[in-house]
Amino acid sequence: MSVNIKRPNGTEDVIPKNAHKWHTVEKIVKDTAESYGFGEIRVPTFENTELFMRSVGETTDVVQKEMYTVKAKESEFTLRPEGTAGTIRAMLQNGLLNEALPQRVYYILSCFRHERPQAGRLREFHQFGLEMAGSPSPAADAEVISLANTILKRLGLKNIELYINSIGCPTCRAKYHEALRTYFESQKDELCETCQERLVKNPMRILDCKSPVCQEIGKNAPVILDYLCDECRNHFESLKKYLTNLGIEYKVNPKIVRGLDYYTKTVFEFVTTEIGAQGTVCGGGRYDGLIEQLGGQHTPALGFGMGIERLLLVMDKQGCDYLSQKKCDIYFATMGEAALEKAMELSVSLREFGYFVEYDMMNRGLKAQMKYANKIGAAFTVVIGDDELESGIVKLKEMNTGAETEIRLDEKFAGVFEDIYFSKVLDVIDSEGNGSLFSFMGGND
Ligand code: ATP
Ligand code: MG
């Protein structure tokens, strides 16, 4: 019987030849977040379902249609559809909010949403995200947006636009909701079923509906910016000033309301049109009421999430640079058992020095071994046979140039190799200059 089980729809595998792309994104997001004072947090993959109902919001697509809820014996859990809820839960549970504020955490995690799979829209996807808790100041909003902007720049992305909006606080939003209800009431019957429900519970959510009919009806809806209270308006004005000061280009887009219920005041998205409809690579905003809603003290906070698969789609499309893949530094082609044992012994010390070393484990002939070394792009090769064992001297061949250097097969082998290796690397840097994209990270390693 043949077994032919495929991965579930809407999931992806990352195989070793693509791992360096992920490593590039992971390194840049981590280094950048840490340079802004954020520390890493890791939270469980599943949480009590109620956590998401209470934070993401019962009228959102995520909670209404997209959650993976699993039952195990007597308990029920939900696979996290986003990172904020579990992160805030963990910050509360671990007392982080009792320490010096602002508290700043970042994470890289998988999220699960039952959506219709398509390019850039998966059922398991990955987010880099962060949360900053404690500051009500628009300076914090500018800081978080600047961080996201820096990451997108460092990844080398082009043609990405930043849209910002303010969706006010509960005070100004109450008036706005009334205006929206009045506006939609006359065309109520044409709205989709979900939006009819939203009209009662959370009319602003209608503006975020993906149905073309609802979008058309919403075209001339009142705009939240006309309803902001003084405090929210001042907050938004300061944010715009800070962004301008920081040289960050933005567009005010009053249609951005974000898919999750917990946002207040600032919301923002970084969007590209280059990967079709799934163009939002980063979305975030301020959620001043959430922490209290989850049982903490009133603590203003904000954050964002970036979809890593979407970032990679754009990076591939735009031909962005990735950190280079690790390649074999030295390959031992061996003839006979004694030569193999020598290669094993030398490999141990070379690996202690940090080199990537391989030798034959397939019982290939010498020619086939050299072919293999070429195929994997080994930088240097060494042939060991009876003659070399007897003389105690091997030829180290630099594959690029064919240049050969003799090295003694003794305990100093790894050290001598290192000297040669570095002199070659320095030659390469000299000839290529040092304009590396990743120079801010202190080297491309
Ligand atoms: P969209 O409007 O595209 O559905 P969203 O508003 O649901 O996005 P958020 O909840 O804000 O998305 O999640 C933050 C980021 O995570 C998005 O900007 C996007 O880059 C990514 N993302 C969201 N859903 C998916 C998905 N199903 N597959 C891949 N990436 C996703
Ligand atoms: Mg969505």
Side-chain angles (χ1 to χ4, degrees):
M1 193 186 75
S2 77
V3 182
N4 190 7
I5 301 175
K6 300 268 169 54
R7 62 175 177 261
N9 253 343
T11 63
E12 277 179 358
D13 303 309
V14 179
I15 56 175
K17 88 169 173 11
N18 293 326
H20 67 298
K21 298 183 177 181
W22 285 78
H23 297 159
T24 305
V25 173
E26 286 160 5
K27 177 153 179 56
I28 289 179
V29 299
K30 283 184 179 188
D31 288 354
T32 310
E34 283 167 15
S35 76
Y36 278 73
F38 287 74
E40 186 176 2
I41 190 162
R42 298 191 188 195
V43 296
T45 306
F46 57 90
E47 298 272 359
N48 283 306
T49 304
E50 204 197 333
L51 177 68
F52 302 115
M53 308 279 279
R54 287 198 5 204
S55 56
V56 176
E58 289 180 53
T59 55
T60 58
D61 273 357
V62 169
V63 165
Q64 288 189 335
K65 306 182 202 156
E66 299 171 359
M67 291 206 306
Y68 280 94
T69 296
V70 291
K71 291 196 167 59
K73 301 255 165 66
E74 72 289 353
S75 31
E76 182 199 284
F77 298 100
T78 293
L79 302 183
R80 59 177 173 231
E82 50 94 62
T84 302
T87 299
I88 296 299
R89 196 265 317 128
M91 291 174 87
L92 283 167
Q93 193 163 356
N94 292 281
L96 298 193
L97 300 177
N98 306 327
E99 291 170 24
L101 300 177
Q103 280 290 310
R104 284 163 288 198
V105 298
Y106 76 86
Y107 46 80
I108 296 175
L109 44 70
S110 50
C111 301
F112 306 84
R113 297 185 189 179
H114 196 272
E115 306 198 68
R116 193 169 66 77
Q118 49 201 296
R121 191 171 293 285
L122 296 158
R123 289 181 171 169
E124 179 184 16
F125 64 98
H126 295 78
Q127 266 188 10
F128 160 71
L130 52 80
E131 319 295 342
M132 184 199 291
S135 171
S137 162
D141 305 51
E143 177 89 339
V144 161
I145 291 174
S146 152
L147 203 174
N149 186 62
T150 302
I151 287 173
L152 299 174
K153 285 244 148 59
R154 287 181 176 176
L155 290 173
L157 295 172
K158 294 172 288 287
N159 304 330
I160 301 236
E161 297 207 319
L162 165 63
Y163 296 123
I164 61 171
N165 189 23
S166 172
I167 57 171
C169 61
T171 316
C172 38
R173 216 180 302 159
K175 278 193 223 136
Y176 180 56
H177 278 172
E178 270 327 299
L180 279 180
R181 283 202 186 93
T182 312
Y183 173 83
F184 283 114
E185 194 60 43
S186 58
Q187 305 167 79
K188 185 173 144 191
D189 299 337
E190 290 156 59
L191 293 171
C192 75
E193 223 173 276
T194 322
C195 281
Q196 297 196 10
E197 201 181 308
R198 287 171 174 153
L199 187 56
V200 183
K201 290 191 183 154
N202 191 351
M204 204 169 68
R205 188 72 38 240
I206 301 173
L207 302 176
D208 206 35
C209 183
K210 301 242 154 58
S211 137
V213 179
C214 298
Q215 278 182 11
E216 185 59 37
I217 298 176
K219 258 194 179 149
N220 299 312
V223 169
I224 177 76
L225 293 175
D226 296 334
Y227 291 80
L228 294 184
C229 64
D230 286 348
E231 192 203 318
C232 290
R233 181 181 314 281
N234 291 338
H235 187 99
F236 195 50
E237 290 307 315
S238 298
L239 169 62
K240 290 194 284 187
K241 182 184 78 185
Y242 293 148
L243 292 177
T244 304
N245 290 349
L246 289 167
I248 299 171
E249 282 176 39
Y250 63 85
K251 288 194 176 129
V252 175
N253 180 349
K255 285 267 137 69
I256 290 190
V257 297
R258 309 283 310 123
L260 315 175
D261 258 3
Y262 48 60
Y263 289 106
T264 51
K265 290 188 174 137
T266 311
V267 287
F268 62 92
E269 291 185 353
F270 287 87
V271 182
T272 162
T273 48
E274 294 189 25
I275 50 169
Q278 271 53 254
T280 309
V281 291
C282 174
R286 178 171 275 284
Y287 47 86
D288 288 348
L290 179 64
I291 293 177
E292 202 170 6
Q293 206 170 306
L294 292 178
Q297 295 193 337
H298 175 76
T299 313
L302 70 167
F304 66 70
M306 277 186 189
I308 299 182
E309 285 85 356
R310 286 191 197 176
L311 289 175
L312 290 173
L313 277 178
V314 190
M315 289 177 74
D316 275 347
K317 182 118 191 258
Q318 297 186 344
C320 295
D321 285 336
Y322 293 108
L323 294 172
S324 50
Q325 275 170 292
K326 280 214 159 56
K327 282 214 173 120
C328 181
D329 294 313
I330 175 165
Y331 179 85
F332 290 104
T334 60
M335 287 178 291
E337 179 65 17
L340 175 65
E341 287 178 17
K342 192 73 194 171
M344 287 180 173
E345 178 198 315
L346 294 172
S347 298
V348 172
S349 55
L350 283 162
R351 286 173 180 149
E352 285 295 318
F353 276 69
Y355 291 106
F356 174 165
V357 192
E358 282 201 48
Y359 46 83
D360 179 57
M361 280 180 285
M362 300 299 294
N363 278 322
R364 290 187 172 109
L366 186 60
K367 235 181 156 170
Q369 289 186 50
M370 293 309 286
K371 211 170 146 192
Y372 173 82
N374 252 318
K375 195 167 167 185
I376 62 169
F380 293 91
T381 55
V382 168
V383 176
I384 311 180
D386 290 344
D387 291 350
E388 285 78 10
L389 289 173
E390 201 171 308
S391 67
I393 292 174
V394 289
K395 288 197 179 110
L396 176 75
K397 180 173 175 184
E398 192 194 352
M399 296 298 274
N400 254 347
T401 60
E404 293 187 322
T405 317
E406 292 197 336
I407 311 189
R408 301 197 72 81
L409 276 178
D410 57 19
E411 69 287 349
K412 294 204 191 95
F413 186 94
V416 174
F417 175 73
E418 178 146 87
D419 289 342
I420 297 170
Y421 184 89
F422 272 117
S423 68
K424 298 295 177 196
V425 170
L426 290 177
D427 281 353
V428 172
I429 290 176
D430 278 352
S431 65
E432 288 182 356
N434 201 7
S436 163
L437 180 88
F438 302 104
S439 51
F440 75 92
M441 296 191 290
N444 180 1
D445 56 355

